[in-house]
Amino acid sequence: MLKKINSILSGMPMTLVGGVFLFLSFVLPRINIVLPIDPAWLTVIISGIPLLYLSVWRIIHNKGISKISSALLITIAMFAAIAIGDLFAAGEVAFIMALGALLEEMTTNRAKKGLQKLINIAPTQGRKLINGKEQMISAEEIQKDDILRILPGETIPVDGIIIVGETSIDQSIMTGESLPVDKEMGDNVFCGTLNRFGSIDIKATKVGEDSSLQKLIRMVQDAENNQAPSQRIADKCASWLVPVALLIAIVTFIITKDIVRAVTVLVVFCPCALVLATPTSIMAAIGQATKHGVIIKSGDALEKMGKVDTIAFDKTGTLTFGKLDVSDIIPCHNYQDETQLLMLAASAESKSEHPLGKAITTFAYTKNISLSECTNFKMSAGKGIIATIEQETVYCGNEKFMSENDIFLDPDTLGKLDLLRTQGKASVIIATKEGCIGIIGLSDVLRPEAADMVSRLNKMHTKTVLLTGDNNKTADYFAKQVGITEVRSDLLPEEKVKNIQMLEEQQNTVCMIGDGVNDAPALKLATVGIAMGSMGSDIAIEAADIALMSDDISKIPYLKKLSNATVNTIKFAISLSMTINFVAIILSVTGILNPTTGALVHNCGSCLVVLIAALLYDRKFD
């Protein structure tokens, strides 16, 4: 009951009501309006009860010196002001503290629905083979070594190894790879990944809590639990502020024999400006970032971003757009017509559901190439397709597919294929019964601002690292294009997490930037996680501390500059507030200030701190 009352009183509506009564307490006596009860009493009740609750709770539950907090000092000052009858001073310090707490809470609230969305991805049932017959069972009933059949379009319910069939698996949930991965007998498959084409039988190897997807879920949970918010600066200072304030007040009373002066010392010593310095600066910075399409979920993340010295990038959807496009049309031997080659390939692939085939067909449409009718279409899952185009049999596929159809690839063609691989590109071989007539290369598209962004980070002495699930050649190619020299490829989600841990163990402050579900654990574990907000998965966005809503990675250097400025502003505001407090203490000890005027002076200091913080909102950082 007490906790519920405290929650209501510390909320925005009641805090504003308390501010209104405090204003009336100041204004009404000056226009000769006297009420039976000073309105400041209501401010003391509304804002003072949560303050008292917080200070007592910390004394009971916190350990060691952390029992002494800024809330305790302000509570003491509030009761001291009440004791000498200065209700306005009591209400003022309580209200400023309540307002500071609200501002801080507004900067740190974040949605936590992403984990539930990740849990919802987990398959709920599987098709178990019993004596050659299929039986649908719940995912919880699947045991290690069970034989399961996975049809095209179905999600794989457990980790396993293929024992029958060939297919292409969409592993983007686990690795972030933009292309489905061709799988055959003996290859491993992961829980939560999607079987795109062929029917396969798998032998379960990891089930239940041991599966890859469940490990992914646990990593997000653990990272969430381990990432505690930074302790407020005011509370860090409170361990010495409280005893110092009490000591000065006691000494003042002993020397002057004036209780009013002692209480004034407590009032002006209250760290209200100190409390406001951090949240108001952060609010202004977050507001500016929002104008630039950058959503910062917590002030803690903003402060930490300024300390980042290492930024780890995912590739697909982060440095690249995460979509395939035709990059090369290479006629082979005596076949020289690129347009005809593209027409044949696009016509043959027009009935294909494979991403490579769709990309080729889409590209042909953008070039206004008229496609011919496709007949006798046949697909070999994970290998290629055969179709009849203009009464000619056309083969589109990989090297293995060509070999199975007795199509010879000479050293020149193999050399071109190897060159495409070193450039991080996928390739589709186009052939007729007479032999290979050409190759179509496809590549993920690099973001045009990526190279300049990495260059700017390097000038800011920030180390850049590529962490990707793509193969080594693809990763090296794209890293070279943007200027990243440290590359770690072929990574599963848990391996990305291990790499983040390794970087942090080397005394690096790491920021991770990614867009997919597979990046979520690494985003949570890194000191700062940044997600691509426009095209990124909901889970990645929820796991991250910062989201780039326009997917503009050129904003990363801007973020570092903004966070640095925010930290400097906070330090300046704290220094200023401490200086004002020091001067006010001297004036209080000498009797120049009383509790009410002292409260007004340190309230002016609080307003000055807010004004300085507000200047962050319109400052230019580009």
Side-chain angles (χ1 to χ4, degrees):
M1 183 66 180
L2 183 60
K3 188 174 182 180
K4 185 176 181 180
I5 293 173
N6 179 74
S7 179
I8 294 172
L9 291 177
S10 61
M12 177 66 77
M14 291 304 296
T15 299
L16 293 178
V17 170
V20 170
F21 284 117
L22 185 65
F23 176 75
L24 293 176
S25 175
F26 180 77
V27 172
L28 293 181
R30 284 157 179 77
I31 58 175
N32 299 320
I33 297 178
V34 180
L35 298 178
I37 299 176
D38 191 331
W41 267 118
L42 295 174
T43 305
V44 169
I45 293 172
I46 293 171
S47 297
I49 289 177
L51 183 63
L52 175 63
Y53 177 87
L54 178 61
S55 59
V56 172
W57 190 93
R58 287 178 176 174
I59 291 172
I60 295 173
H61 296 282
N62 286 8
K63 296 180 180 180
I65 197 67
S66 61
K67 291 177 179 291
I68 302 174
S69 64
S70 58
L72 178 60
L73 176 55
I74 298 175
T75 301
I76 293 172
M78 180 180 70
F79 278 111
I82 293 173
I84 64 170
D86 196 332
L87 293 177
F88 177 81
E92 190 268 350
V93 294
F95 172 73
I96 291 295
M97 182 67 177
L99 187 60
L102 278 175
L103 288 172
E104 186 171 34
E105 183 181 355
M106 288 170 63
T107 67
T108 56
N109 280 341
R110 64 175 67 183
K112 294 184 179 180
K113 298 178 182 178
L115 181 59
Q116 186 59 47
K117 294 177 182 178
L118 179 56
I119 294 172
N120 292 339
I121 293 174
T124 58
Q125 58 183 4
R127 185 179 282 99
K128 182 177 179 180
L129 291 180
I130 304 175
N131 298 324
K133 295 184 179 180
E134 299 176 7
Q135 180 181 338
M136 296 300 296
I137 62 173
S138 67
E140 291 80 7
E141 296 178 59
I142 299 175
Q143 302 295 318
K144 185 177 179 181
D145 296 329
D146 280 352
I147 306 301
L148 306 171
R149 177 160 292 168
I150 317 296
L151 299 182
E154 291 185 341
T155 300
I156 298 172
V158 295
D159 288 8
I161 185 170
I162 298 176
I163 58 174
V164 176
E166 298 173 337
T167 187
S168 292
I169 303 291
D170 181 351
Q171 297 187 154
S172 58
I173 185 176
M174 297 301 297
T175 67
E177 290 177 280
S178 53
L179 295 174
V181 179
D182 296 334
K183 300 279 187 176
E184 57 186 15
M185 288 178 57
D187 288 340
N188 292 315
V189 294
F190 303 108
C191 176
T193 58
L194 180 65
N195 181 24
R196 295 295 299 268
F197 302 110
S199 174
I200 55 173
D201 293 345
I202 69 170
K203 181 179 180 180
T205 55
K206 294 181 181 179
V207 300
E209 294 299 313
D210 293 328
S211 72
S212 300
L213 183 61
Q214 291 301 324
K215 287 180 180 178
L216 188 64
I217 292 171
R218 286 201 302 276
M219 280 189 286
V220 175
Q221 290 173 325
D222 292 343
E224 176 71 35
N225 294 333
N226 291 335
Q227 194 173 27
S230 61
Q231 187 181 14
R232 286 166 55 178
I233 294 175
D235 282 339
K236 289 181 181 179
C237 297
S239 57
W240 60 267
L241 277 176
V242 172
V244 168
L246 291 174
L247 179 62
I248 293 176
I250 291 170
V251 171
T252 300
F253 177 70
I254 292 174
I255 295 175
T256 65
K257 308 298 184 182
D258 188 348
I259 187 65
V260 174
R261 294 190 187 189
V263 172
T264 304
V265 168
L266 290 177
V267 170
V268 299
F269 219 124
C270 287
C272 294
L274 188 63
V275 170
L276 285 172
T278 298
T280 51
S281 297
I282 288 171
M283 281 291 289
I286 288 176
Q288 179 180 128
T290 302
K291 291 193 299 182
H292 287 77
V294 180
I295 305 302
I296 302 173
K297 297 182 183 179
S298 74
D300 191 45
L302 182 65
E303 290 184 58
K304 288 178 178 178
M305 187 65 196
K307 301 174 184 177
V308 164
D309 55 28
T310 302
I311 298 182
F313 293 91
D314 174 47
K315 180 188 78 68
T316 306
T318 304
L319 292 178
T320 69
F321 285 106
K323 60 182 181 180
L324 289 170
D325 199 5
V326 172
S327 57
D328 301 86
I329 301 175
I330 308 172
C332 293
H333 307 301
N334 296 325
Y335 201 93
Q336 298 299 324
D337 192 337
E338 292 187 9
T339 302
Q340 180 69 7
L341 178 63
L342 178 59
M343 186 280 292
L344 288 174
S347 298
E349 295 281 10
S350 61
K351 292 185 178 180
S352 173
E353 291 298 318
H354 197 285
L356 292 179
K358 284 185 172 181
I360 292 172
T361 303
T362 300
F363 183 77
Y365 282 132
T366 62
K367 297 298 182 180
N368 297 317
I369 294 176
S370 299
L371 303 187
S372 298
E373 183 181 0
C374 173
T375 58
N376 300 322
F377 178 85
K378 294 179 183 179
M379 182 181 73
S380 179
K383 297 177 183 178
I385 60 103
I386 303 173
T388 300
I389 307 296
E390 297 180 348
Q391 299 182 342
E392 184 171 29
T393 302
V394 178
Y395 302 82
C396 299
N398 57 26
E399 294 171 61
K400 185 175 182 180
F401 183 65
M402 296 300 155
S403 177
E404 290 178 356
N405 287 277
D406 300 320
I407 296 173
F408 173 74
L409 300 178
D410 61 24
D412 182 60
T413 301
L414 293 174
K416 291 174 180 177
L417 289 169
D418 190 56
L419 178 60
L420 290 173
R421 291 191 193 97
T422 61
Q423 295 175 345
K425 299 174 182 177
S427 56
V428 176
I429 303 168
I430 316 301
T432 62
K433 288 182 178 180
E434 284 71 33
C436 175
I437 61 173
I439 303 169
I440 292 181
L442 300 99
S443 176
D444 199 351
V445 181
L446 188 68
R447 293 182 184 273
E449 67 271 20
D452 178 66
M453 178 269 300
V454 172
S455 175
R456 290 169 65 192
L457 289 175
N458 290 337
K459 291 177 182 177
M460 297 170 70
H461 307 290
T462 303
K463 177 181 177 182
T464 53
V465 182
L466 181 62
L467 303 181
T468 178
D470 281 354
N471 64 69
N472 187 53
K473 287 185 177 180
T474 300
D476 285 342
Y477 174 77
F478 280 100
K480 185 177 181 181
Q481 293 294 104
V482 299
I484 296 177
T485 56
E486 187 170 340
V487 181
R488 305 180 187 186
S489 56
D490 293 307
L491 301 179
L492 292 173
E494 58 265 30
E495 292 170 329
K496 286 187 178 182
V497 169
K498 288 178 182 177
N499 274 274
I500 294 293
Q501 290 173 330
M502 288 170 57
L503 289 168
E504 292 183 338
E505 287 170 1
Q506 296 167 3
Q507 305 304 311
N508 295 304
T509 304
V510 182
C511 168
M512 174 69 191
I513 305 178
D515 77 304
V517 173
N518 62 294
D519 298 318
L523 289 169
K524 291 298 296 184
L525 185 67
T527 304
V528 179
I530 300 179
M532 308 297 282
S534 177
M535 66 171 294
S537 74
D538 290 342
I539 295 160
I541 294 170
E542 298 298 344
D545 304 291
I546 300 170
L548 304 178
M549 299 314 294
S550 60
D551 288 349
D552 185 358
I553 56 176
S554 67
K555 297 297 182 184
I556 303 302
Y558 156 79
L559 260 177
K560 275 192 62 62
K561 291 179 181 179
L562 174 64
S563 57
N564 285 334
T566 303
V567 172
N568 291 334
T569 298
I570 291 171
K571 290 179 179 178
F572 176 73
I574 289 174
S575 299
L576 180 64
S577 68
M578 296 300 290
T579 300
I580 292 173
N581 274 9
F582 178 74
V583 173
I585 289 169
I586 294 176
L587 296 177
S588 300
V589 171
T590 57
I592 297 175
L593 295 179
N594 59 39
T596 298
T597 56
L600 289 173
V601 167
H602 104 271
N603 191 25
C604 289
S606 300
C607 293
L608 185 58
V609 165
V610 172
L611 177 62
I612 292 169
L615 296 177
L616 275 171
Y617 187 77
D618 292 314
R619 192 182 301 181
K620 304 295 182 182
F621 293 98
D622 293 332

